[in-house]
Amino acid sequence: MGRYIMGRLVQSLFLLIGVSMLTFAIIQMAPGGFAQMVGENPDATAEDTARLTALWGLDDPIHVQYLRWAAQMVQGNFGNSLAQGRPIAQMIGERLPATIFLNIIGLLLIYVIALPIGIYSAVKQYSKFDHTMTFLAFLGQAMPAFFFAMLLIYYVGMQVEGIPLAGMATIGVEWGEVPFMTWLADRSRYLIMPLSVIVFGGLAGLVRFMRASMLDVIHQDYVRTARAKGLSERVVVFKHTVRNALLPIVTSLGFAFSGLLGGSVVIESIFAWPGVGLLAIQAIFTRDYPVIMAFNLIGSIMLVIGMLVADILYVVVDPRIKY
Amino acid sequence: MATAQPKVQGAAVGMSPKEETFWQLVWYRFRRHKMAMVSVAILLLLYFVAIAAPLLAPHDPMEVGVGPRFAPPSWEFPAGTDRLGRDLFSRILFGARISLSVGFVAAGVSMTIGTIVGAIAGYFGGIVDEVLMRICEVIMAIPTFFLLLTVVAVFERSMLNIMLVIGFTTWPSAARLVRGQFLSLREMDYVEAARSIGAKGGRIVAQHILPNTMAPIIVSTTLRVGGAILTESGLSFLGIGVTNPASWGTLLEIGRHTMQFAIWMVTIPGTLIFITVLAFNYIGDGLRDALDPQLK
């Protein structure tokens, strides 16, 4: 087990080195680069451009530039934003809690709602409930999240009083400054819209996945044996089937989290949720390359950690797998 | 003897009227999937409309002031008009050309690269396989949407570039699919037989292995078309998609700002994206059932 985890850690490290190289390479393909952006400034003279090129080491060979950048990254120094001039680590650090807050609640709700539906669908395969849910899941997978968000804003948000359509909190309602219940009520109101869209977006896929995984297990011989020896349906389903059917779902958790991170770019920009997604889209518009590079790296670090945790969990929860 | 023979022939005729090819069987099974057939009809209509857009559009999609501003859908303007009094019906017809072709080209690029890389990795195995699969893993380790946004930020946002970017960021999953198929097929007895009678590598791949990987490739391509349309509309919605002429996603993005009094500017393009993606998913589902009945 220890050796397995070590092996996977080393593998993840190489993966992240690959990611940093790819990200660096894509940004290098940008026409012009930093120095030329200064050149677009009408007040900048040729000397200014040359001075900045020398200052930033832009005339060094490409591998020297990469290594210099990578060495900074390893030390946790993501550099400064071109647009705001502030340290990127600080900018992302400020925004991360809002995104994680939204996504963790979203992820929890998705699993709490989707798993029972998937399980029940599979147990009652081809029933009216199963057909309806499968159909709805199919519709859900084809529905663009932003279109769903627009419809929700128009038909619910604009009709019902007291549902905020943008932001995360009312100004002045801060933790510790108002009674806890007031704080909780305020945060909950702001969560309604973005959370509904996140949950809607993740639900369909997971229901189908859970149902398929359940059906795989339910047709196994040992489930038939359990039935044959007269165990109650409840014991067969919950003790023998669900526990095994949940194994592949555990693996999906790692991907689910980083998937939400990408999806929250759209949701945060619709609801002006002050998280990293909103920052990412601003960076794209201003071509703030250092910020974009930092995003790719942080995104992949989260994905790689997610996969690593999922793999280890898989070994822990499934005694059939030994390393 | 003379009397028995027609009987036998008659029985044979009753069982299978004529030699059925693989594709006839597929078509026969596909036809039974009602939703998939409905989807084919809807998509044929949409593609016809997209191709014939210049003939069908009542107005120039860019012409300002052909009607009042923000006119709701009516007989004169079936999809209403926008902030500048442009005819939305015409804009949607021309937008169909963008949205529908982005899907096909992006899925084509993704699947072509994926199939070539996957075939090379799966057929040669060993160090070639190792290197190619590590490259796939690196690309897949960046959250897809972030990778997309990065590339979009770097390159010019033309229609062709958007298609290529979606294709270039999604091929690794296709490569893994094809590689898996190749790995198992390459060990099959009939491939060994072909090799033993002296068939060259290229011939084995093209004649013996590739045709047998067609079923998952076709299904995956169909689903990718829907996925690419969804991705393009997502980029457009963020304001970084195809804008000239406007794709359905861009039309929706324009409409969202005046949603309070012109909701049709959101619902009509949005519903069209939804229906198109749904249709491709249903066709993919139908094809999976038809191509490989064991898969279900």
Side-chain angles (χ1 to χ4, degrees):
Chain A
M1 187 69 187
R3 272 192 62 181
Y4 169 72
I5 294 177
M6 272 312 287
R8 286 287 283 108
L9 272 174
V10 173
Q11 207 184 336
S12 304
L13 195 67
F14 276 104
L15 206 57
L16 287 176
I17 293 175
V19 167
S20 72
M21 284 176 162
L22 179 66
T23 308
F24 190 79
I26 294 173
I27 301 292
Q28 289 301 316
M29 282 187 245
F34 303 157
Q36 200 207 329
M37 292 190 11
V38 178
E40 280 166 8
N41 179 350
D43 294 334
T45 59
E47 288 92 73
D48 286 336
T49 313
R51 186 173 54 82
L52 284 174
T53 304
L55 179 69
W56 286 334
L58 294 176
D59 42 6
D60 288 338
I62 190 100
H63 62 274
V64 176
Q65 288 191 47
Y66 168 74
L67 287 176
R68 187 167 47 218
W69 174 72
Q72 283 183 352
M73 288 279 154
V74 172
Q75 294 164 22
N77 174 11
F78 291 98
N80 286 339
S81 152
L82 292 181
Q84 300 191 19
R86 296 168 54 208
I88 294 169
Q90 189 190 339
M91 283 164 69
I92 293 180
E94 288 167 1
R95 301 290 195 101
L96 213 50
T99 299
I100 292 182
F101 175 62
L102 181 63
N103 281 331
I104 291 213
I105 299 180
L107 207 58
L108 271 175
L109 272 179
I110 291 171
Y111 277 78
V112 165
I113 300 172
L115 297 189
I117 296 179
I119 293 169
Y120 193 71
S121 256
V123 173
K124 306 273 176 209
Q125 198 186 4
Y126 303 132
S127 67
K128 197 161 229 167
F129 178 85
D130 180 31
H131 280 301
T132 314
M133 284 303 152
T134 308
F135 179 67
L136 286 180
F138 225 93
L139 294 187
Q141 282 188 315
M143 183 78 174
F146 53 84
F147 182 39
F148 178 77
M150 292 295 110
L151 295 179
L152 201 66
I153 289 176
Y154 187 77
Y155 289 105
V156 180
M158 288 182 178
Q159 317 296 330
V160 183
E161 275 298 311
I163 300 182
L165 298 178
M168 183 180 169
T170 310
I171 295 172
V173 183
E174 293 299 334
W175 175 260
E177 288 174 24
V178 294
F180 175 72
M181 289 317 283
T182 319
W183 179 86
L184 188 69
D186 185 66
R187 290 295 188 277
S188 310
R189 280 195 307 128
Y190 279 91
L191 269 174
I192 297 174
M193 282 282 163
L195 202 57
S196 308
V197 179
I198 286 196
V199 171
F200 173 85
L203 219 48
L206 192 62
V207 166
R208 279 169 65 100
F209 189 26
M210 184 70 226
R211 178 181 180 271
S213 169
M214 209 37 206
L215 286 178
D216 263 357
V217 177
I218 220 164
H219 291 128
Q220 304 258 333
D221 287 341
Y222 70 82
V223 174
R224 189 179 314 142
T225 311
R227 283 219 174 88
K229 69 178 182 180
L231 292 181
S232 72
E233 189 63 20
R234 229 185 49 162
V235 174
V236 172
V237 169
F238 287 103
K239 213 165 168 197
H240 294 254
T241 318
V242 169
R243 284 176 60 173
N244 281 311
L246 280 174
L247 295 178
I249 311 290
V250 169
T251 335
S252 78
L253 250 167
F255 281 102
F257 192 71
S258 77
L260 282 181
L261 207 68
S264 66
V265 175
V266 173
I267 290 165
E268 287 180 10
S269 82
I270 293 175
F271 297 108
W273 189 265
V276 283
L278 203 59
L279 189 65
I281 194 75
Q282 286 161 355
I284 302 289
F285 276 119
T286 51
R287 306 211 167 194
D288 200 339
Y289 293 128
V291 177
I292 299 172
M293 284 154 94
F295 263 105
N296 277 325
L297 273 186
I298 292 174
S300 1
I301 289 173
M302 290 176 91
L303 184 72
V304 168
I305 293 177
M307 288 195 294
L308 196 66
V309 170
D311 278 354
I312 294 170
L313 266 182
Y314 202 65
V315 181
V316 173
V317 292
D318 191 346
R320 288 172 299 186
I321 300 176
K322 288 240 154 56
Y323 286 97
Chain B
M1 278 301 271
T3 50
Q5 215 168 8
K7 241 185 194 166
V8 173
Q9 271 182 353
V13 168
M15 277 161 68
S16 93
K18 53 181 180 239
E19 194 86 350
E20 278 184 332
T21 66
F22 174 68
W23 291 107
Q24 280 170 325
L25 271 172
V26 168
W27 172 236
Y28 172 75
R29 285 196 292 253
F30 185 76
R31 264 187 333 203
R32 289 188 307 189
H33 197 303
K34 279 199 206 82
M35 293 307 280
M37 287 304 285
V38 173
S39 301
V40 170
I42 290 174
L43 286 184
L44 282 178
L45 178 74
L46 285 176
Y47 274 89
F48 167 76
V49 165
I51 292 167
L55 303 173
L56 294 173
H59 301 282
D60 181 335
M62 303 304 244
E63 194 184 336
V64 177
V66 293
R69 307 169 64 214
F70 295 123
S74 62
W75 284 112
E76 200 191 347
F77 301 105
T81 61
D82 68 4
R83 187 168 61 89
L84 301 171
R86 289 177 292 197
D87 177 36
L88 271 174
F89 183 66
S90 308
R91 288 172 71 72
I92 283 167
L93 290 186
F94 278 90
R97 304 185 129 197
I98 311 289
S99 294
L100 295 178
S101 44
V102 163
F104 262 111
V105 178
V109 170
S110 168
M111 223 50 220
T112 309
I113 302 177
T115 305
I116 294 171
V117 173
I120 293 174
Y123 183 77
F124 291 106
I127 184 80
V128 179
D129 183 32
E130 278 293 318
V131 171
L132 290 176
M133 284 305 110
R134 291 298 91 78
I135 293 175
C136 286
E137 275 169 21
V138 166
I139 298 177
M140 288 170 92
I142 305 178
T144 315
F145 209 73
F146 280 7
L147 184 58
L148 262 173
L149 291 176
T150 308
V151 185
V152 169
V154 168
F155 295 99
E156 194 197 340
R157 290 166 207 155
S158 66
M159 176 171 156
L160 183 70
N161 277 353
I162 299 278
M163 294 173 179
L164 292 179
V165 165
I166 298 176
F168 279 125
T169 46
T170 52
W171 65 263
S173 59
R176 283 163 70 114
L177 173 85
V178 174
R179 167 185 175 266
Q181 294 283 316
F182 263 69
L183 278 182
S184 61
L185 286 170
R186 150 186 106 146
E187 306 298 332
M188 300 283 253
D189 287 341
Y190 76 93
V191 175
E192 192 56 47
R195 200 172 285 129
S196 68
I197 58 170
K200 293 273 184 321
R203 186 181 163 82
I204 291 177
V205 169
Q207 293 281 323
H208 298 288
I209 302 186
L210 205 54
N212 281 305
T213 62
M214 273 340 251
I217 288 180
I218 290 172
V219 172
S220 173
T221 309
T222 317
L223 296 176
R224 259 157 223 275
V225 178
I229 292 175
L230 216 48
T231 307
E232 188 279 325
S233 62
L235 288 175
S236 297
F237 182 81
L238 291 173
I240 42 185
V242 184
T243 49
N244 192 24
S247 69
W248 287 343
T250 306
L251 288 176
L252 200 157
E253 199 277 327
I254 297 170
R256 78 187 259 215
H257 302 293
T258 50
M259 194 164 69
Q260 303 94 302
F261 42 91
I263 186 68
W264 60 89
M265 286 177 67
V266 167
T267 44
I268 295 172
T271 308
L272 283 167
I273 297 169
F274 172 57
I275 289 177
T276 309
V277 176
L278 189 63
F280 275 110
N281 287 356
Y282 266 122
I283 292 174
D285 202 46
L287 281 172
R288 173 163 31 216
D289 293 354
L291 285 164
D292 192 352
Q294 290 171 340
L295 259 178
K296 208 177 178 186

